Amino acid sequence: MTLQMDLPTLDDYPTRKSTEAALLYRRDPTVWGTAEEGPFTDSELQDHDRRGYTRLESLVGDAEVLDYRDELDRLVRDPGLREDERALVDPADGGIRSVFEVHRVSEAFESLVNDPRLVERARQILGSEVYVHQSRVDHRPGFGGGPLYWRSDFETWHAEDGMPRMRAVGFSVALTDEHSHNGALMVMPGSHRTYVSCLEPAEEDGHERAGTPDRGALTILAGRHGIDVLSAEAGDVTVFDSNCMYGAGANITPFARSNLFVVYNSVENVCEKPFSAAEPRPGFLASRDFTPAGG
């Protein structure tokens, strides 16, 4: 495996194009804005730059969480939604596990996706207006959540959607408590500074075709950065750099795990032709509507 290559190519982040995995230098900032441009302090921005993620405790209030959880329950019980291409249905029991483009499906989640508490922080980190690249709610009932293998979202967005630069950020809003025993996310802090070029995409997991990182690359990154388990209480929000290496274990407990995940991309970083796919994914997975979020 090649380490820290400088490649003379128009594509600074090549992936799925070689027979050899590679760890490449990141060529983009993590934080594009300043403390004067939003609610994050300079210290918080520095921490985000260093770790690649930020935890925001109780950003969404208890009463709001209950309302959003009720709305999620309504969505997963909606028989009509099972026929919608935006719904990811578990073939084992017919239950809805994810609803993509949820801000187009639900007025309640549209409000949350455009909430200034999220949008202003996304604008500050990315240093520009932002639009919603992807939104979804994930519902993992007790005894019903399989593992999520290690991945970098940017690798997928770059390869499949044509996102040029690492100028996007994800927000995960916990709608239930998340613990190590019910499949909380795991992140390699600092891994966002290294791009993992993959050999090929994994088998399609629902609607996603994430690249599969080489085990050698994962071993190097884990040895260098360690692994943080991101336990959270309902209402906490975790902000992820687009290139963080993350995964999750299976949920074999009786305790459900649900969250809203929304990806904001800079309006100065709109998606182009995919870098490693024949055609872009559908709009409900990777929006081509670049209208700024937040009104």
Side-chain angles (χ1 to χ4, degrees), residues 241-287:
D241 179 80
S242 60
N243 193 47
C244 278
M245 187 61 66
Y246 73 96
N251 180 14
I252 60 172
T253 75
F255 308 113
R257 179 173 60 82
S258 300
N259 69 292
L260 168 77
F261 185 66
V262 54
V263 179
Y264 300 102
N265 188 28
S266 169
V267 297
E268 299 173 11
N269 190 44
V270 299
C271 292
E272 305 168 354
K273 180 180 176 181
F275 285 84
S276 299
E279 58 185 21
R281 297 188 298 171
F284 68 89
L285 297 177
S287 179

Side-chain angles (χ1 to χ4, degrees), residues 3 21 34 38 126 136-137 141 153 155 160 184 195 197 211 226 239 264:
L3 302 182
T34 66
L126 301 181
R136 70 176 188 265
V137 284
D153 280 334
E155 190 276 341
E160 301 279 345
Y195 178 70
S197 177
V239 185
Y264 300 102

